[in-house]
Amino acid sequence: MIGIIIATHGKMSDGIKDAAELIMGGTDSIETLNLFHGDDVSELGNQLTEAINKVDEGNGTIIFADLFGASPYNQSMIAINGLPEDKKDKVYVITGVNLPMILVALTQNMVGSSIEDAVAAILEEASNSMVVWPTNDDSDEGDTDDDEDDF
């Protein structure tokens, strides 16, 4: 099983995990880490190292962070750099965490995907899960038969 860690500012990671549990059931393979105003950022790094060791069952770990370049991401990179080489190669950090990404990660765990396949599926879902309505699709521009097609 692939280990999953969600590291965010505030309680966002707990909220995402809670929503995932509501939709999918148990999420025992997820550890959440929260960074609050005034927290010691280096302590977050220690917590990340502990969480990696806790969730890693030999198949790798994915750390989901909220923002690229922010403290949860930076501390993830520091924690990974302190790991043994064989473990370091199987830890991925994905930023911009959202609920659909976590649901795909859990699904990938359920079907026994490799960490590489899971990361690819998560990144695909991340781009596909963002939708804007109404669309500004100009493909119907100039189509005067639109009203007639509805009847």
Side-chain angles (χ1 to χ4, degrees), residues 18 28 47:
D18 183 56
D28 297 332
Q47 292 171 358

Side-chain angles (χ1 to χ4, degrees), residues 28-41:
D28 297 332
S29 62
I30 296 180
E31 286 291 312
T32 60
L33 299 173
N34 304 302
L35 181 65
F36 298 105
H37 183 70
D39 283 356
D40 179 356
V41 175

Side-chain angles (χ1 to χ4, degrees), residues 14 18 43 62 64 98 102 126 146:
D14 292 335
D18 183 56
E43 180 55 31
I62 301 172
F64 292 91
N98 61 40
I102 299 301
D146 238 7

Side-chain angles (χ1 to χ4, degrees), residues 80-91:
I80 292 167
N81 284 328
L83 295 173
E85 288 300 320
D86 61 327
K87 194 177 246 187
K88 188 185 299 188
D89 293 339
K90 287 211 163 205
V91 181

Side-chain angles (χ1 to χ4, degrees), residues 70-85:
S71 296
Y73 171 83
N74 294 337
Q75 289 301 310
S76 295
M77 300 309 295
I78 292 168
I80 292 167
N81 284 328
L83 295 173
E85 288 300 320

Side-chain angles (χ1 to χ4, degrees), residues 41-59:
V41 175
S42 63
E43 180 55 31
L44 178 64
N46 295 334
Q47 292 171 358
L48 279 156
T49 300
E50 290 173 17
I52 292 168
N53 290 324
K54 181 177 180 180
V55 301
D56 181 25
E57 296 180 4
N59 298 318

